[in-house]
PDB file of all heavy atoms in Angstrom:
ATOM      1  N   LYS A   1      21.518  -4.427  22.653  1.00 62.00           N
ATOM      2  CA  LYS A   1      20.079  -4.169  22.667  1.00 62.00           C
ATOM      3  C   LYS A   1      19.786  -2.700  22.387  1.00 62.00           C
ATOM      4  O   LYS A   1      18.867  -2.372  21.638  1.00 62.00           O
ATOM      5  CB  LYS A   1      19.487  -4.560  24.020  1.00 62.00           C
ATOM      6  CG  LYS A   1      19.105  -5.972  24.139  1.00 62.00           C
ATOM      7  CD  LYS A   1      18.395  -6.163  25.454  1.00 62.00           C
ATOM      8  CE  LYS A   1      17.973  -7.582  25.649  1.00 62.00           C
ATOM      9  NZ  LYS A   1      17.326  -7.785  26.922  1.00 62.00           N
ATOM     10  N   ALA A   2      20.555  -1.816  22.976  1.00 55.00           N
ATOM     11  CA  ALA A   2      20.346  -0.377  22.783  1.00 55.00           C
ATOM     12  C   ALA A   2      20.581   0.026  21.336  1.00 55.00           C
ATOM     13  O   ALA A   2      19.831   0.814  20.760  1.00 55.00           O
ATOM     14  CB  ALA A   2      21.251   0.416  23.725  1.00 55.00           C
ATOM     15  N   ILE A   3      21.623  -0.532  20.724  1.00 61.00           N
ATOM     16  CA  ILE A   3      21.918  -0.220  19.323  1.00 61.00           C
ATOM     17  C   ILE A   3      20.803  -0.757  18.432  1.00 61.00           C
ATOM     18  O   ILE A   3      20.360  -0.088  17.506  1.00 61.00           O
ATOM     19  CB  ILE A   3      23.299  -0.796  18.925  1.00 61.00           C
ATOM     20  CG1 ILE A   3      24.408  -0.041  19.656  1.00 61.00           C
ATOM     21  CG2 ILE A   3      23.509  -0.714  17.423  1.00 61.00           C
ATOM     22  CD1 ILE A   3      25.794  -0.591  19.456  1.00 61.00           C
ATOM     23  N   LEU A   4      20.341  -1.969  18.716  1.00 53.00           N
ATOM     24  CA  LEU A   4      19.261  -2.562  17.942  1.00 53.00           C
ATOM     25  C   LEU A   4      17.984  -1.720  18.037  1.00 53.00           C
ATOM     26  O   LEU A   4      17.305  -1.467  17.036  1.00 53.00           O
ATOM     27  CB  LEU A   4      19.000  -4.002  18.423  1.00 53.00           C
ATOM     28  CG  LEU A   4      17.941  -4.783  17.660  1.00 53.00           C
ATOM     29  CD1 LEU A   4      18.272  -4.874  16.185  1.00 53.00           C
ATOM     30  CD2 LEU A   4      17.760  -6.159  18.249  1.00 53.00           C
ATOM     31  N   ILE A   5      17.668  -1.237  19.227  1.00 60.00           N
ATOM     32  CA  ILE A   5      16.485  -0.385  19.420  1.00 60.00           C
ATOM     33  C   ILE A   5      16.636   0.914  18.650  1.00 60.00           C
ATOM     34  O   ILE A   5      15.697   1.379  17.973  1.00 60.00           O
ATOM     35  CB  ILE A   5      16.233  -0.140  20.921  1.00 60.00           C
ATOM     36  CG1 ILE A   5      15.781  -1.459  21.576  1.00 60.00           C
ATOM     37  CG2 ILE A   5      15.201   0.949  21.130  1.00 60.00           C
ATOM     38  CD1 ILE A   5      15.661  -1.391  23.074  1.00 60.00           C
ATOM     39  N   ILE A   6      17.792   1.514  18.678  1.00 61.00           N
ATOM     40  CA  ILE A   6      18.037   2.775  17.954  1.00 61.00           C
ATOM     41  C   ILE A   6      17.905   2.549  16.455  1.00 61.00           C
ATOM     42  O   ILE A   6      17.291   3.348  15.746  1.00 61.00           O
ATOM     43  CB  ILE A   6      19.428   3.356  18.321  1.00 61.00           C
ATOM     44  CG1 ILE A   6      19.418   3.826  19.777  1.00 61.00           C
ATOM     45  CG2 ILE A   6      19.819   4.481  17.374  1.00 61.00           C
ATOM     46  CD1 ILE A   6      20.768   4.249  20.301  1.00 61.00           C
ATOM     47  N   ILE A   7      18.432   1.422  15.966  1.00 59.00           N
ATOM     48  CA  ILE A   7      18.336   1.113  14.525  1.00 59.00           C
ATOM     49  C   ILE A   7      16.869   0.931  14.132  1.00 59.00           C
ATOM     50  O   ILE A   7      16.413   1.468  13.123  1.00 59.00           O
ATOM     51  CB  ILE A   7      19.181  -0.125  14.171  1.00 59.00           C
ATOM     52  CG1 ILE A   7      20.681   0.205  14.301  1.00 59.00           C
ATOM     53  CG2 ILE A   7      18.871  -0.619  12.764  1.00 59.00           C
ATOM     54  CD1 ILE A   7      21.609  -0.981  14.149  1.00 59.00           C
ATOM     55  N   LEU A   8      16.108   0.179  14.944  1.00 52.00           N
ATOM     56  CA  LEU A   8      14.694  -0.049  14.650  1.00 52.00           C
ATOM     57  C   LEU A   8      13.898   1.255  14.668  1.00 52.00           C
ATOM     58  O   LEU A   8      13.042   1.489  13.822  1.00 52.00           O
ATOM     59  CB  LEU A   8      14.096  -1.056  15.632  1.00 52.00           C
ATOM     60  CG  LEU A   8      14.548  -2.507  15.460  1.00 52.00           C
ATOM     61  CD1 LEU A   8      13.989  -3.387  16.576  1.00 52.00           C
ATOM     62  CD2 LEU A   8      14.109  -3.036  14.106  1.00 52.00           C
ATOM     63  N   LEU A   9      14.152   2.108  15.633  1.00 52.00           N
ATOM     64  CA  LEU A   9      13.461   3.400  15.696  1.00 52.00           C
ATOM     65  C   LEU A   9      13.809   4.269  14.493  1.00 52.00           C
ATOM     66  O   LEU A   9      12.951   4.956  13.937  1.00 52.00           O
ATOM     67  CB  LEU A   9      13.783   4.123  17.006  1.00 52.00           C
ATOM     68  CG  LEU A   9      13.140   3.526  18.261  1.00 52.00           C
ATOM     69  CD1 LEU A   9      13.667   4.253  19.502  1.00 52.00           C
ATOM     70  CD2 LEU A   9      11.642   3.616  18.197  1.00 52.00           C
ATOM     71  N   THR A  10      15.044   4.241  14.083  1.00 56.00           N
ATOM     72  CA  THR A  10      15.480   5.042  12.939  1.00 56.00           C
ATOM     73  C   THR A  10      14.804   4.542  11.664  1.00 56.00           C
ATOM     74  O   THR A  10      14.304   5.326  10.859  1.00 56.00           O
ATOM     75  CB  THR A  10      17.013   4.987  12.795  1.00 56.00           C
ATOM     76  OG1 THR A  10      17.610   5.435  14.004  1.00 56.00           O
ATOM     77  CG2 THR A  10      17.489   5.849  11.635  1.00 56.00           C
ATOM     78  N   ILE A  11      14.768   3.230  11.484  1.00 57.00           N
ATOM     79  CA  ILE A  11      14.152   2.652  10.284  1.00 57.00           C
ATOM     80  C   ILE A  11      12.657   2.935  10.252  1.00 57.00           C
ATOM     81  O   ILE A  11      12.104   3.354   9.236  1.00 57.00           O
ATOM     82  CB  ILE A  11      14.419   1.135  10.201  1.00 57.00           C
ATOM     83  CG1 ILE A  11      15.907   0.889   9.939  1.00 57.00           C
ATOM     84  CG2 ILE A  11      13.574   0.492   9.116  1.00 57.00           C
ATOM     85  CD1 ILE A  11      16.313  -0.572  10.024  1.00 57.00           C
ATOM     86  N   SER A  12      11.971   2.742  11.378  1.00 56.00           N
ATOM     87  CA  SER A  12      10.531   2.974  11.400  1.00 56.00           C
ATOM     88  C   SER A  12      10.196   4.450  11.236  1.00 56.00           C
ATOM     89  O   SER A  12       9.182   4.806  10.670  1.00 56.00           O
ATOM     90  CB  SER A  12       9.902   2.412  12.683  1.00 56.00           C
ATOM     91  OG  SER A  12      10.366   3.122  13.813  1.00 56.00           O
ATOM     92  N   GLY A  13      11.049   5.319  11.691  1.00 55.00           N
ATOM     93  CA  GLY A  13      10.811   6.760  11.545  1.00 55.00           C
ATOM     94  C   GLY A  13      10.977   7.230  10.125  1.00 55.00           C
ATOM     95  O   GLY A  13      10.384   8.215   9.703  1.00 55.00           O
ATOM     96  N   CYS A  14      11.777   6.534   9.334  1.00 54.00           N
ATOM     97  CA  CYS A  14      12.018   6.945   7.953  1.00 54.00           C
ATOM     98  C   CYS A  14      10.785   6.773   7.086  1.00 54.00           C
ATOM     99  O   CYS A  14      10.600   7.463   6.109  1.00 54.00           O
ATOM    100  CB  CYS A  14      13.173   6.139   7.351  1.00 54.00           C
ATOM    101  SG  CYS A  14      14.765   6.612   8.028  1.00 54.00           S
ATOM    102  N   GLY A  15       9.926   5.850   7.413  1.00 51.00           N
ATOM    103  CA  GLY A  15       8.734   5.606   6.604  1.00 51.00           C
ATOM    104  C   GLY A  15       7.598   6.551   6.916  1.00 51.00           C
ATOM    105  O   GLY A  15       6.569   6.506   6.284  1.00 51.00           O
ATOM    106  N   ALA A  16       7.740   7.447   7.885  1.00 50.00           N
ATOM    107  CA  ALA A  16       6.645   8.318   8.278  1.00 50.00           C
ATOM    108  C   ALA A  16       6.368   9.406   7.259  1.00 50.00           C
ATOM    109  O   ALA A  16       5.275   9.938   7.195  1.00 50.00           O
ATOM    110  CB  ALA A  16       6.936   8.955   9.636  1.00 50.00           C
ATOM    111  N   GLY A  17       7.325   9.773   6.433  1.00 51.00           N
ATOM    112  CA  GLY A  17       7.128  10.823   5.433  1.00 51.00           C
ATOM    113  C   GLY A  17       6.269  10.319   4.285  1.00 51.00           C
ATOM    114  O   GLY A  17       6.113   9.129   4.067  1.00 51.00           O
ATOM    115  N   VAL A  18       5.677  11.235   3.514  1.00 49.00           N
ATOM    116  CA  VAL A  18       4.843  10.888   2.370  1.00 49.00           C
ATOM    117  C   VAL A  18       5.730  10.882   1.140  1.00 49.00           C
ATOM    118  O   VAL A  18       6.431  11.853   0.874  1.00 49.00           O
ATOM    119  CB  VAL A  18       3.692  11.912   2.199  1.00 49.00           C
ATOM    120  CG1 VAL A  18       2.883  11.599   0.969  1.00 49.00           C
ATOM    121  CG2 VAL A  18       2.837  11.940   3.442  1.00 49.00           C
ATOM    122  N   SER A  19       5.721   9.783   0.434  1.00 49.00           N
ATOM    123  CA  SER A  19       6.535   9.729  -0.772  1.00 49.00           C
ATOM    124  C   SER A  19       5.807  10.456  -1.890  1.00 49.00           C
ATOM    125  O   SER A  19       4.594  10.549  -1.918  1.00 49.00           O
ATOM    126  CB  SER A  19       6.806   8.274  -1.178  1.00 49.00           C
ATOM    127  OG  SER A  19       5.658   7.707  -1.765  1.00 49.00           O
ATOM    128  N   THR A  20       6.570  10.946  -2.853  1.00 51.00           N
ATOM    129  CA  THR A  20       5.974  11.663  -3.981  1.00 51.00           C
ATOM    130  C   THR A  20       5.207  10.717  -4.883  1.00 51.00           C
ATOM    131  O   THR A  20       4.340  11.146  -5.629  1.00 51.00           O
ATOM    132  CB  THR A  20       7.058  12.398  -4.796  1.00 51.00           C
ATOM    133  OG1 THR A  20       8.038  11.436  -5.216  1.00 51.00           O
ATOM    134  CG2 THR A  20       7.698  13.499  -3.983  1.00 51.00           C
ATOM    135  N   GLU A  21       5.488   9.433  -4.811  1.00 53.00           N
ATOM    136  CA  GLU A  21       4.793   8.472  -5.655  1.00 53.00           C
ATOM    137  C   GLU A  21       3.386   8.193  -5.145  1.00 53.00           C
ATOM    138  O   GLU A  21       2.493   7.900  -5.922  1.00 53.00           O
ATOM    139  CB  GLU A  21       5.594   7.175  -5.729  1.00 53.00           C
ATOM    140  CG  GLU A  21       6.919   7.392  -6.436  1.00 53.00           C
ATOM    141  CD  GLU A  21       7.897   6.267  -6.162  1.00 53.00           C
ATOM    142  OE1 GLU A  21       7.715   5.508  -5.197  1.00 53.00           O
ATOM    143  OE2 GLU A  21       8.858   6.177  -6.916  1.00 53.00           O
ATOM    144  N   THR A  22       3.152   8.267  -3.838  1.00 53.00           N
ATOM    145  CA  THR A  22       1.835   7.959  -3.311  1.00 53.00           C
ATOM    146  C   THR A  22       1.020   9.205  -2.988  1.00 53.00           C
ATOM    147  O   THR A  22      -0.144   9.097  -2.679  1.00 53.00           O
ATOM    148  CB  THR A  22       1.943   7.084  -2.043  1.00 53.00           C
ATOM    149  OG1 THR A  22       2.707   7.789  -1.072  1.00 53.00           O
ATOM    150  CG2 THR A  22       2.578   5.751  -2.361  1.00 53.00           C
ATOM    151  N   ALA A  23       1.623  10.380  -3.039  1.00 62.00           N
ATOM    152  CA  ALA A  23       0.887  11.609  -2.730  1.00 62.00           C
ATOM    153  C   ALA A  23      -0.116  11.884  -3.844  1.00 62.00           C
ATOM    154  O   ALA A  23       0.173  11.698  -5.005  1.00 62.00           O
ATOM    155  CB  ALA A  23       1.849  12.780  -2.595  1.00 62.00           C
ATOM    156  N   LYS A  24      -1.326  12.324  -3.463  1.00 74.00           N
ATOM    157  CA  LYS A  24      -2.347  12.665  -4.455  1.00 74.00           C
ATOM    158  C   LYS A  24      -2.028  14.039  -5.030  1.00 74.00           C
ATOM    159  O   LYS A  24      -1.936  15.016  -4.309  1.00 74.00           O
ATOM    160  CB  LYS A  24      -3.726  12.662  -3.809  1.00 74.00           C
ATOM    161  CG  LYS A  24      -4.193  11.290  -3.467  1.00 74.00           C
ATOM    162  CD  LYS A  24      -5.652  11.184  -3.739  1.00 74.00           C
ATOM    163  CE  LYS A  24      -6.053   9.754  -3.513  1.00 74.00           C
ATOM    164  NZ  LYS A  24      -7.212   9.414  -4.217  1.00 74.00           N
ATOM    165  N   LYS A  25      -1.873  14.067  -6.324  1.00 81.00           N
ATOM    166  CA  LYS A  25      -1.634  15.322  -7.012  1.00 81.00           C
ATOM    167  C   LYS A  25      -2.975  15.817  -7.545  1.00 81.00           C
ATOM    168  O   LYS A  25      -3.829  15.020  -7.917  1.00 81.00           O
ATOM    169  CB  LYS A  25      -0.664  15.113  -8.169  1.00 81.00           C
ATOM    170  CG  LYS A  25       0.716  14.719  -7.727  1.00 81.00           C
ATOM    171  CD  LYS A  25       1.611  14.519  -8.925  1.00 81.00           C
ATOM    172  CE  LYS A  25       2.983  14.038  -8.476  1.00 81.00           C
ATOM    173  NZ  LYS A  25       3.840  13.742  -9.600  1.00 81.00           N
ATOM    174  N   PRO A  26      -3.178  17.135  -7.626  1.00 85.00           N
ATOM    175  CA  PRO A  26      -4.421  17.644  -8.221  1.00 85.00           C
ATOM    176  C   PRO A  26      -4.541  17.136  -9.657  1.00 85.00           C
ATOM    177  O   PRO A  26      -3.559  17.086 -10.386  1.00 85.00           O
ATOM    178  CB  PRO A  26      -4.250  19.163  -8.194  1.00 85.00           C
ATOM    179  CG  PRO A  26      -3.216  19.415  -7.161  1.00 85.00           C
ATOM    180  CD  PRO A  26      -2.325  18.205  -7.163  1.00 85.00           C
ATOM    181  N   THR A  27      -5.727  16.769 -10.048  1.00 88.00           N
ATOM    182  CA  THR A  27      -5.947  16.220 -11.373  1.00 88.00           C
ATOM    183  C   THR A  27      -5.927  17.312 -12.440  1.00 88.00           C
ATOM    184  O   THR A  27      -6.239  18.469 -12.173  1.00 88.00           O
ATOM    185  CB  THR A  27      -7.288  15.451 -11.437  1.00 88.00           C
ATOM    186  OG1 THR A  27      -7.456  14.946 -12.768  1.00 88.00           O
ATOM    187  CG2 THR A  27      -8.461  16.322 -11.091  1.00 88.00           C
ATOM    188  N   SER A  28      -5.556  16.914 -13.643  1.00 91.00           N
ATOM    189  CA  SER A  28      -5.549  17.858 -14.761  1.00 91.00           C
ATOM    190  C   SER A  28      -6.750  17.618 -15.680  1.00 91.00           C
ATOM    191  O   SER A  28      -6.786  18.147 -16.786  1.00 91.00           O
ATOM    192  CB  SER A  28      -4.244  17.726 -15.550  1.00 91.00           C
ATOM    193  OG  SER A  28      -4.142  16.423 -16.085  1.00 91.00           O
TER     194      SER A  28
END
């Protein structure tokens, strides 16, 4: 159970960053 919780927390934490594909870039 502890390992499963650590894996789930690690996976969910990885998605918190902003990807370069979805970040709004200033328009040209």
Side-chain angles (χ1 to χ4, degrees):
K1 274 187 180 178
I3 292 174
L4 183 58
I5 291 173
I6 292 173
I7 291 173
L8 289 175
L9 288 174
T10 303
I11 292 172
S12 66
C14 288
V18 177
S19 76
T20 56
E21 294 163 342
T22 59
K24 289 218 174 204
K25 294 179 183 176
T27 179
S28 62

